Amino acid sequence: MQTQQQRRWLPKLNSRLAIGLTIVTILAAGSLILPFFTSVDPAAQGTYLKNLPPSPAHLLGTNALGQDIFWYLVFAVRNSLLLGVSVSMGVTIIATSLGLSAGFIGGWYERCVVVFMDTFITIPVLPVLIVLGAVVRGNTSFMVVALILIVFGWAWNARTIRSMSLSLREREFVNMARFSGAGVIAIIAREIFPYVYAFMIVGFINTILFAINTEAALAVIGLSNVVVPTLGSIIFWALNYNAILIGQPLWIIAPIVTTVVLFLGLFLTSSGYNDLSAEKRGVA
Amino acid sequence: MKLLQYMLQRFVMYLLILFIGITITFFLPRLMPGDPISNYISQVQARAGQSLSAEATQQLRDSLAELYGLQGDLFTQYTNYIGRVVRFDFGPSFTYYPEPVSNILLDALPWTAGLLIMTTLLAWLIGNGIGLIAGYYNKRRAAAALEIVGILLYPIPYYILALVVILVFAYWLALFPLSPTFLPGPMSWSKSVSIIHNSFLPALTLVLAGFGWNVLAMKALAVATKEDPYVQFARLKGTTDRTRMTQYVFRNAMLPQITALILSLGFIFNGAIQTEVIFSYPGIGMTMRAAAGAGDYNLLYGSIILTIFAVATVTLVLDLIYPLFDPRIRLGG
């Protein structure tokens, strides 16, 4: 009895989840807390002498624009994470409500949702963002990028949730609830949601990856708002000033390493959590 | 009959995707704040000082509105736009005036198509091959090592892979050029060698990026499939490991992988655009980026429509040949 209780409240973390959570927690906590300890705007140019080597005062040195690379990176991680989380919240809400309702209501409504889903999965988002970036020339606000990412990001998760609800609606316990007089909303909230929510968490993390990745890709090719520090804009500036050729390899290597570590951490968290919940359900 | 219904369904879906995609690219920029013509005129004014008179500005505004199909109400603009898309006529390019946009796009298309077809096929074959071996022999230590390679590669974005490939192969080892240069002139042996040499790094980036997911997914599928009763039966029948792995496990496990490939085409195209821009590779992605930078809206619209058309068409083609791999659809089981 005792051991069973313990197992329920303290799920045994698998190694993927443990490593992933550690990485993500350190990066998220660091980038959210550290900005309170500086009063300097990391994006302001000419704050420090240019091209200083790493020193205790400038952990990663300064770049050709006179910015401190370490502090710029801290703000970049924070902004990218905030963008990722807000896009992912929007995507999760839309994907879950459309996916569940399509699976349960069925009929013409479902067919329409499926057509839009397949369209948004097929159309590549980057060209659309490039067109918008060109139309609003440099005024691409962060909010607009986030909105477009939500518009193009929901379909994948909605597709998975719909197929889950399709199989769930035929299950015995759902019929049971229906015959007991539960309404559609009550069934979705009490019977379906507990099954879908593990996937929602995995989808949530994967969408953070998608959002950070797409914004950064747009920034690297110079079409997002490159004034705001993000994991993409720092690389854009480093490429623009030929960081490697002017002997500033840290300017470009530091964001590359940070991006790889962050993405690996997020991916390990999502796939580790997926394994964990599969184990709990007794699938694996 | 079932096959026919399947194909018809896919085709209708194809038309719907094209229609919705084209409509979105028409309306989204019009919902945005800012007006491309004013932007362009302020650019011209900045270059010309204040020497442009008010009438000249108005004339420029009218001719630009005509050129970009921005005359009349929204509905007229929309029908004109659809008409232009159907005729594949996007007017002249602004930067390469009076070269028609369609010619520029047709020049760029073979570069992107060649690069993407090669790398997607390679990434799929190598990734699934490694995943199959890792999954079939999942008790061995080497299988775990192969899976770690997949885990390390899969979440890394295209642009990061491109930069790392540049750093390692063009900067430190200096084996390949930083950005490709393609000499004009007729096809010859030395020219094709040069094309391969110059395209190697962008291709390597795309293969590396496409391969991680295939390794991970195929490994999981192979582990599950090799315990199926029909594979056990084949083992008792005395087939070799190799036959069981390729003829029994792979043939079933590849179906979800083909579906995954079809669904990720849009994503692969995003990656190709990033890679082309970072390497200055002369394909559609690079054309799109240059057009966006120069405010060449005709070229920009042409390239995005071509992109949507290409992705939707490849999706349709793969959907249509899918029954060749899956007899359940072909024979209606």
Side-chain angles (χ1 to χ4, degrees):
Chain A
M1 213 46 202
Q2 182 73 35
T3 48
Q4 231 172 16
Q5 282 279 322
Q6 270 175 352
R7 204 175 286 157
R8 189 177 299 165
W9 293 111
L10 264 176
K12 198 171 148 285
L13 295 185
N14 53 44
S15 53
R16 279 196 200 183
L17 187 56
I19 298 173
L21 271 179
T22 315
I23 294 175
V24 174
T25 314
I26 290 174
L27 281 175
S31 68
L32 287 175
I33 295 169
L34 280 177
F36 291 111
F37 293 97
T38 181
S39 50
V40 178
D41 175 9
Q45 304 189 354
T47 317
Y48 307 102
L49 286 174
K50 292 175 183 176
N51 299 328
L52 293 176
S55 66
H58 305 290
L59 289 176
L60 297 170
T62 61
N63 62 22
L65 294 164
Q67 300 158 329
D68 184 302
I69 296 175
F70 174 75
W71 283 105
Y72 197 97
L73 195 57
V74 168
F75 278 74
V77 172
R78 185 195 69 176
N79 291 340
S80 284
L81 271 178
L82 288 180
L83 174 89
V85 171
S86 28
V87 168
S88 199
M89 284 203 268
V91 162
T92 306
I93 292 170
I94 297 176
T96 312
S97 40
L98 278 178
L100 283 181
S101 60
F104 271 86
I105 297 173
W108 274 103
Y109 173 75
E110 184 184 17
R111 254 171 253 175
C112 286
V113 173
V114 169
V115 165
F116 273 95
M117 235 153 51
D118 284 359
T119 311
F120 280 99
I121 286 175
T122 310
I123 296 175
V125 56
L126 205 57
V128 177
L129 280 167
I130 290 177
V131 169
L132 290 178
V135 171
V136 287
R137 302 233 111 199
N139 306 320
T140 337
S141 82
F142 228 49
M143 274 299 289
V144 173
V145 175
L147 276 177
I148 301 292
L149 288 176
I150 292 177
V151 169
F152 279 87
W154 61 274
W156 194 273
N157 293 356
R159 193 174 195 278
T160 318
I161 292 183
R162 172 184 158 262
S163 55
M164 287 175 92
S165 64
L166 276 184
S167 73
L168 283 171
R169 82 173 167 196
E170 307 300 333
R171 298 276 274 274
E172 212 44 55
F173 61 89
V174 174
N175 283 332
M176 191 69 179
R178 197 174 290 143
F179 295 145
S180 320
V184 173
I185 294 179
I187 292 181
I188 289 181
R190 290 211 205 104
E191 312 293 334
I192 306 298
F193 192 74
Y195 273 81
V196 178
Y197 115 107
F199 170 75
M200 276 170 64
I201 291 181
V202 175
F204 186 82
I205 302 171
N206 289 340
T207 311
I208 296 179
L209 273 173
F210 155 80
I212 297 180
N213 182 351
T214 313
E215 193 283 328
L218 199 64
V220 167
I221 62 175
L223 287 169
S224 182
N225 190 339
V226 289
V227 183
V228 180
T230 68
L231 286 171
S233 67
I234 181 169
I235 292 178
F236 169 77
W237 290 111
L239 285 178
N240 230 13
Y241 280 83
N242 287 316
I244 294 276
L245 299 179
I246 61 167
Q248 275 286 355
L250 273 181
W251 192 3
I252 194 158
I253 291 174
I256 288 181
V257 171
T258 313
T259 310
V260 169
V261 170
L262 174 67
F263 277 42
L264 204 58
L266 285 168
F267 173 65
L268 287 174
T269 309
S270 86
S271 77
Y273 184 81
N274 198 18
D275 288 355
L276 183 76
S277 60
E279 223 168 276
K280 258 200 263 177
R281 287 196 308 267
V283 178
Chain B
M1 224 36 224
K2 189 162 175 185
L3 183 63
L4 201 68
Q5 196 190 353
Y6 167 85
M7 291 191 153
L8 205 67
Q9 220 173 6
R10 295 293 137 154
F11 192 71
V12 171
M13 193 60 215
Y14 170 69
L15 294 180
L16 277 172
I17 288 174
L18 283 182
F19 175 72
I20 296 175
I22 288 164
T23 307
I24 289 173
T25 47
F26 174 82
F27 282 104
L28 257 187
R30 283 168 174 76
L31 294 175
M32 290 289 131
D35 151 29
I37 293 184
S38 304
N39 281 334
Y40 187 78
I41 287 178
S42 59
Q43 250 183 30
V44 172
Q45 274 173 336
R47 250 180 270 150
Q50 287 304 316
S51 57
L52 237 61
S53 68
E55 297 95 81
T57 313
Q58 190 53 47
Q59 264 180 355
L60 186 60
R61 186 177 287 277
D62 290 343
S63 60
L64 284 176
E66 190 190 339
L67 192 63
Y68 291 150
L70 290 173
Q71 281 172 324
D73 60 282
L74 210 56
F75 184 73
T76 328
Q77 285 182 28
Y78 181 61
T79 44
N80 286 342
Y81 177 68
I82 297 271
R84 280 166 48 169
V85 170
V86 171
R87 279 177 276 122
F88 198 62
D89 164 25
F90 299 97
S93 154
F94 230 75
T95 21
Y96 306 99
Y97 195 82
E99 182 81 0
V101 165
S102 44
N103 284 4
I104 299 177
L105 291 178
L106 289 179
D107 282 346
L109 186 63
W111 292 104
T112 302
L115 183 68
L116 264 182
I117 293 171
M118 280 295 275
T119 54
T120 309
L121 270 178
L122 274 178
W124 197 87
L125 289 174
I126 301 175
N128 282 309
I130 292 180
L132 178 70
I133 294 170
Y136 192 80
Y137 298 107
N138 67 333
K139 299 270 164 21
R140 304 201 187 169
R141 198 168 288 164
L146 288 175
E147 189 176 22
I148 288 174
V149 172
I151 291 177
L152 288 176
L153 271 179
Y154 167 61
I156 311 302
Y158 281 89
Y159 68 93
I160 293 279
L161 283 171
L163 292 173
V164 171
V165 161
I166 287 180
L167 281 178
V168 174
F169 289 97
Y171 184 71
W172 283 324
L173 301 179
L175 289 176
F176 293 94
L178 202 58
S179 69
T181 33
F182 299 108
L183 301 168
M187 252 331 202
S188 64
W189 173 245
S190 67
K191 197 189 170 194
S192 27
V193 171
S194 139
I195 288 181
I196 292 173
H197 182 69
N198 278 284
S199 316
F200 186 79
L201 291 188
L204 179 66
T205 306
L206 290 172
V207 171
L208 285 176
F211 154 115
W213 169 250
N214 286 321
V215 173
L216 293 180
M218 188 44 137
K219 176 174 185 263
L221 287 164
V223 169
T225 312
K226 75 171 185 147
E227 302 300 334
D228 276 354
Y230 76 92
V231 182
Q232 300 297 342
F233 178 72
R235 190 168 59 86
L236 296 176
K237 223 167 62 172
T239 48
T240 60
D241 264 331
R242 200 195 146 96
T243 320
R244 255 176 292 141
M245 190 164 79
T246 54
Q247 302 295 313
Y248 287 74
V249 175
F250 183 70
R251 284 204 45 189
N252 265 339
M254 79 176 184
L255 294 176
Q257 287 297 81
I258 295 177
T259 313
L261 177 69
I262 298 176
L263 288 173
S264 59
L265 283 173
F267 188 74
I268 294 175
F269 222 95
N270 284 340
I273 293 172
Q274 297 167 32
T275 311
E276 284 186 8
V277 174
I278 290 176
F279 284 99
S280 306
Y281 181 89
I284 299 288
M286 191 61 211
T287 309
M288 200 182 278
R289 172 66 188 91
D296 189 342
Y297 293 98
N298 282 347
L299 187 55
L300 189 57
Y301 264 94
S303 48
I304 187 178
I305 296 294
L306 182 65
T307 306
I308 293 176
F309 181 73
V311 175
T313 308
V314 178
T315 306
L316 175 74
V317 169
L318 285 178
D319 270 340
L320 290 184
I321 60 173
Y322 187 77
L324 288 179
F325 304 109
D326 191 348
R328 283 170 300 183
I329 298 179
R330 193 168 67 226
L331 307 171

